[in-house]
Amino acid sequence: MQIDRRPLLDRLAVFPRLGLANLPTPLEPMKRLTAHLGGPRLWVKREDATGLGFGGNKLRKLDYVLHEALSSGADTIVSGGVVQSNSQRQVAAVAAKLGLACHLAVYHGRLEPPTPEYKTSGNAFLNRLFGAHLHDVPWTGDRNAAIRSLVGDLEAKGHRPYFVPYGVSNALGAVAYATTISEIEPQAALLGFAPTAIVHCTGSAGTQAGLVVGAAVAMPNTRIVGIDIDAEPARVRTDVVAFAREASNLLSVPFDEATVEVVAGHAGPAYGVPHEATIEAIRLAGQLEALPLDPVYSGKGLAGFDRPDPPRALAQRRGCRLLTYRRRAGAFRLSERTRHLSWRARNRHAPPTGPACGEPDDRLQRGIQ
Ligand SMILES: Cc1ncc(COP(=O)(O)O)c(C=O)c1O
């Protein structure tokens, strides 16, 4: 049997994309946060910089998935998520840009509205601004049932709807996300390092599936560590394995289930509910790196670093100095969900310490400490 040695980029090249996402996104050192935590060295892949409609990781998936929608002759995009979903906001933005109708199943009841403005501000406001039609439905635990039923209703009315799953997580979404690895690998090499681990928060699982599949080809020595923010680590792992298996078939890449690491214990009391560690992580990222993390995803992801348990301990045990931390956009959720909490956190703790800003240091751009 002949071994398929094609590089990741060649494998990805056969999948067409729309080009709506602003790629590649930057890879930046987080010098002050690294110093504050005492290492390992942290870098951030700025997936909030994908552009359209305030950016985020779903645009990378939608770039490929909505190419398929257009090719199939769809006139309407149908998706869904919770009230303040980042995913829905990005679906609505892309649909507007493409001139397609957008219908969203908005799930109520997965979490208690934390503020009176929860249903009208932030992403909920932007969905309307981008022209999406919102359909309120109760949360049942089945992420895709109401979206599928909406597709059926629209078909019955003569539309040509295209189904975009919860979180844009499916096999093609995972293939799309493997492009992140094809960016990180050369970006890190140019900067003179190879990350020991890529740590990110994981929920609907397509992001992690893509990272795992891409890393199998282009960064085999880099661990992909997903921090469960859904408080459902077993479900998340099952979904990552399923999407990664399908995506690896599409890309003709070997898949080893043992490479799927989903870390539990950082989700706080429930999905969407920030705990003290989340708030502290958001505060640190804001004050040390000017990174606005969100309380549902990236804040919890970083909280996973700020204590001596799996991701961080893992990197240190293996004697590595380099660790890449990924974040995604969620600024609107941030303003909506943590206004009162961040005030409380700010006033209860002393400001974090870190190296003072001095003269511009071009070594910073190369991440040399
Ligand atoms: C900011 C942010 N980070 C991470 C994720 C997780 O990605 P996935 O749902 O593909 O696991 C999401 C998903 O909505 C998100 O909005």
Side-chain angles (χ1 to χ4, degrees), residues 129-146:
L129 182 71
F130 298 154
H133 303 270
L134 306 183
H135 304 260
D136 292 332
V137 292
W139 171 254
T140 62
D142 183 332
R143 294 149 185 259
N144 286 316

Side-chain angles (χ1 to χ4, degrees), residues 57-58 61 86-87 167 169 201-207 294 297 328-329:
N57 66 331
K58 306 302 185 234
K61 299 179 183 178
N86 291 323
S87 179
S169 281
C201 30
T202 183
S204 71
T207 297
D294 77 285
Y297 288 95
R328 282 71 163 205

